[in-house]
Amino acid sequence: MSTILFVVTGARTWTLTDGTEHPTGYWAEELLTPYHLLTEAGHDVVFATPNGVAPVADPGSLRDGDAAAIAAISGLDAPLVLAEVNAADYAAVHYPGGHGPMQDLAGDDASGALIAATVDAGRPLAAVCHGLAALLPARVADGTPFVAGRRITAFTDEEERLGGLADRAPFLLESALRAQGAELATAEPWSDHVVVDGGIITGQNPQSSASAARALLKALD
């Protein structure tokens, strides 16, 4: 079986344009669902965050039983330092979402380099919802944005508006990815929607977590 790296946001708030520090973190569904599907299939999961800070779940994402399930995950409270991980050590990389990645991973060059190295080596890369923000700093060898010309999905501008934060967001994820040349394939808000482009697996929103994880499992076979 393989070892999968989960790159998780270390942010606890998202700074909005009006100066508000919006409480956030990772979205529980987007970490727990793939973690359980992958480990139940026999794979190991290792965690990394910027600076190795212990990640927290967005309080708005927690459902009954989630806190206990999170507490039971070995290694989540003591993750690796993202800048020190070696892409070659992992069979695949997965990025859960939550608004946290919009705060830290969207500008993390170490994360961007990890993404490029993973895909260059032919290993699967999965990202769900706002986890796609981590693709923004990634570049190919000639400096072109990693997402240029790639077919992906992500949390949509419409979903951000429906969630009530679009008017105060420093940027909108779908628009930012399109501006870098990505080919966004989106579905109706809150629908289960996954896009697979070679070894890149992307899910639109929390509702897509299980489907994206199953696509990652298939890519690991």
Side-chain angles (χ1 to χ4, degrees):
M1 291 292 101
S2 303
T3 301
I4 317 302
L5 179 68
F6 275 37
V7 180
V8 185
T9 177
R12 284 153 170 72
T13 60
W14 184 27
T15 306
L16 303 179
T17 55
D18 63 358
T20 300
E21 295 294 333
H22 180 72
T24 188
Y26 63 85
W27 199 258
E29 161 77 17
E30 297 168 21
L31 186 144
L32 287 170
T33 295
Y35 174 82
H36 288 135
L37 285 171
L38 288 163
T39 55
E40 287 166 8
H43 298 289
D44 293 324
V45 172
V46 173
F47 300 93
T49 65
N51 299 317
V53 301
V56 298
D58 186 313
S61 72
L62 293 171
R63 301 170 298 183
D64 289 347
D66 282 353
I70 289 167
I73 296 176
S74 177
L76 182 58
D77 60 348
L80 301 174
V81 176
L82 177 56
E84 297 176 358
V85 302
N86 183 350
D89 293 339
Y90 305 99
V93 177
H94 175 69
Y95 282 80
H99 279 113
M102 302 283 278
Q103 181 76 15
D104 57 2
L105 295 176
D108 193 305
D109 291 335
S111 174
L114 174 71
I115 287 167
T118 298
V119 175
D120 284 348
R123 300 186 182 94
L125 173 78
V128 175
C129 198
H130 290 95
L132 272 291
L135 273 61
L136 292 171
R139 296 291 183 272
V140 298
D142 67 0
T144 302
F146 174 84
V147 298
R150 298 186 189 274
R151 187 172 181 269
I152 59 175
T153 192
F155 198 74
T156 66
D157 294 356
E158 183 178 3
E159 285 170 319
E160 202 72 82
R161 283 190 288 271
L162 291 170
L165 292 175
D167 291 344
R168 294 182 291 154
F171 66 94
L172 297 176
L173 182 55
E174 177 188 353
S175 291
L177 291 166
R178 288 188 188 278
Q180 288 194 354
E183 298 177 7
L184 267 289
T186 61
E188 290 298 312
W190 322 123
S191 59
D192 182 353
H193 179 60
V194 171
V195 172
V196 179
D197 183 0
I200 302 172
I201 301 157
T202 52
Q204 181 171 314
N205 46 38
Q207 290 78 10
S208 310
S209 297
S211 295
R214 292 188 187 103
L216 179 55
L217 280 168
K218 182 177 180 181
L220 288 165
D221 286 342

